[in-house]
Amino acid sequence: MKETLLDEATLLAEFEAKIDAEIKIEPRDWMPDAYRKHLIRQISQHAHSEVIGMQPEGNWITRAPSLRSKKILLAKIQDEGGHGLYLYSAAETLGVSRDQYIQWLHEGKAKYASVFNYPTLNWADIGAIGWLVDGAAITNQVSLQRTSYGPYSRAMVRICKEESFHQRQGYEIMWKMMEGTKDQQRMAQDAINRWWWPALMMFGPHDSDSAHTGNAMKWKIKRETNDRLREKFINKTVPQAELIGLKVPDANLKVSGTDSFGEPTYDHSDINWEEFWQVVNGNGPCNEQRLEHHVKAHQDGKWVRECAKAFQNNNDSINR
Ligand code: 3HC
């Protein structure tokens, strides 16, 4: 027993030395159970978010206003599905199967980003999602490229390459609408009014209320805190809104100074945390619909998974 404890202490010291030396932790490395559990939770929920996030946008593929905008939206949604696959693959390296992750999601034991539980009412919402939701995701994911877990970090590097296209295509939609008719300008302003705060909620609770940020920063899973990333996103996005004539829906928004690059920083209102927890805990406008759709799609796709498995088994037996 004493020897095991010594081994454990040695192993923990080696793990912490790697974290301090910015050496990536790899699947076969020893890691504390709590580190593994933290990653199982965060990476799988990140993957769920990517896949469920395809639903609100998917509703508008058949309603896109032009062939060009349809092609762009199709490409973006396809990217999101691929991001989900990278992240499920990274999550599986932690010793939990994809089937198990999906089961936890279907049983309500796993979360996904609350922002995807809001409805997409018109085409301006597709612009707001690309610009604000993917813009927030980029702010978060660029930082996550430096996460301490190797497979997660490498997935982030790959995903970030595609996210900037997602944000740009959304901003282009909003820009075009603001150069359009009065009705189009009203639609774009209505969209930012509805999506601004759910996008800020993507960064999670305040650091002081965050259950996981302490460990996440200690183990370098997160490299910047929820509040820091949220401020970075606000500082970057408010000038983009103002450039095209959109008004950020926050009466208390005002310039508070400049950052080290001379860019403006802002004072702003706080998030409606009651709404945040209502939606996170399953009581948002579309939570039920999103999960029902995911369960049905998973059941409808069962035959595809069975065929792929049978093909693989057949291949394996031929190559034995
Ligand atoms: N939506 C749903 N749940 C949320 C949430 C949100 N916006 N913010 C926090 N939560 C949950 C957490 O999951 C945690 O619940 P749990 O213990 O059951 O998992 C609880 O609220 C406490 O929050 P913490 O801040 O303590 O939790 P984290 O340290 O995990 O921080 C996070 C939350 C910032 C989302 C962090 O997990 C993270 O950075 N995850 C990776 C990025 C990610 O998942 N982004 C989701 C969007 S992906 C996307 O947008 C795709 C793009 O292509 C559009």
Side-chain angles (χ1 to χ4, degrees):
M1 180 60 176
K2 192 160 172 348
E3 198 181 59
T4 320
L5 281 179
L6 185 69
D7 286 353
E8 184 95 357
T10 312
L11 288 166
L12 183 59
E14 286 168 0
F15 167 81
E16 287 170 345
K18 276 183 182 166
I19 296 287
D20 292 347
E22 298 288 340
I23 296 169
K24 293 297 180 209
I25 305 300
E26 296 299 337
R28 289 196 178 87
D29 292 346
W30 183 90
M31 61 186 84
D33 285 346
Y35 177 83
R36 182 186 299 276
K37 282 199 188 89
H38 190 113
L39 290 170
I40 284 171
R41 177 190 63 83
Q42 176 166 333
I43 302 174
S44 62
Q45 293 184 160
H46 195 162
H48 296 330
S49 303
E50 298 280 2
V51 172
I52 296 227
M54 295 164 78
Q55 290 187 37
E57 292 174 310
N59 292 335
W60 283 86
I61 292 174
T62 55
R63 303 179 176 98
S66 71
L67 183 58
R68 176 182 181 271
S69 51
K70 186 196 285 271
K71 285 192 294 185
I72 291 173
L73 183 58
L74 272 169
K76 179 196 189 295
I77 294 172
Q78 193 173 322
D79 282 350
E80 307 297 9
H83 296 175
L85 295 183
Y86 303 145
L87 289 164
Y88 282 126
S89 300
E92 283 179 300
T93 64
L94 292 156
V96 176
S97 72
R98 192 165 313 192
D99 289 344
Q100 179 60 73
Y101 285 127
I102 300 297
Q103 187 186 326
W104 283 335
L105 174 68
H106 290 173
E107 289 169 350
K109 291 181 184 148
K111 294 184 170 70
Y112 56 87
S114 54
V115 67
F116 297 124
N117 289 311
Y118 291 83
T120 41
L121 305 180
N122 57 55
W123 183 252
D125 288 36
I126 300 304
I129 288 179
W131 171 39
L132 298 175
V133 174
D134 287 74
I138 289 173
T139 307
N140 176 300
Q141 292 171 161
V142 163
S143 176
L144 273 174
Q145 289 178 121
R146 294 183 298 121
T147 191
S148 57
Y149 187 57
Y152 196 23
S153 166
R154 292 187 287 273
M156 283 297 99
V157 170
R158 175 70 190 268
I159 286 172
C160 285
K161 286 190 170 71
E162 294 168 344
E163 285 294 2
S164 33
F165 144 63
H166 298 174
Q167 190 264 1
R168 291 247 165 68
Q169 62 85 35
Y171 190 55
E172 184 192 64
I173 291 173
M174 299 301 266
W175 189 312
K176 275 190 176 166
M177 293 190 86
M178 289 307 285
E179 291 188 329
T181 64
K182 284 286 173 236
D183 277 346
Q184 287 170 328
Q185 291 168 22
R186 264 192 294 276
M187 281 171 76
Q189 184 58 53
D190 169 59
I192 188 177
N193 292 347
R194 286 183 287 109
W195 289 95
W196 176 256
W197 293 103
L200 296 191
M201 292 175 190
M202 286 173 68
F203 296 98
H206 282 309
D207 301 342
S208 51
D209 303 327
S210 165
H212 302 295
T213 289
N215 277 343
M217 294 300 285
K218 180 178 78 173
W219 291 324
K220 296 186 183 177
I221 293 173
K222 280 184 190 175
R223 301 312 300 262
E224 294 169 278
T225 68
N226 297 358
D227 286 329
R228 175 71 198 108
L229 289 170
R230 193 176 356 255
E231 293 310 314
K232 276 175 105 170
F233 171 71
I234 291 169
N235 295 346
K236 178 178 68 170
T237 310
V238 169
Q240 291 172 356
E242 290 170 348
L243 179 69
I244 60 176
L246 281 169
K247 191 171 170 11
V248 170
D250 179 356
N252 296 319
L253 187 78
K254 63 180 184 312
V255 177
S256 59
T258 54
D259 65 16
S260 49
F261 300 103
E263 297 298 323
T265 59
Y266 298 87
D267 286 339
H268 52 84
S269 304
D270 200 1
I271 282 169
N272 176 340
W273 293 109
E274 194 198 333
E275 176 185 339
F276 171 81
W277 289 114
Q278 274 294 329
V279 182
V280 167
N281 292 326
N283 308 310
C286 301
N287 294 57
E288 217 172 295
Q289 171 190 338
R290 299 287 185 245
L291 212 49
E292 274 169 16
H293 182 98
H294 193 282
V295 171
K296 182 178 181 318
H298 192 68
Q299 283 161 353
D300 291 351
K302 190 163 178 280
W303 69 272
V304 177
R305 294 191 296 277
E306 285 168 351
C307 289
K309 229 172 240 171
F311 176 76
Q312 189 57 48
N313 295 343
N314 185 41
N315 250 7
D316 292 351
S317 59
I318 293 169
N319 295 330
R320 255 191 222 109

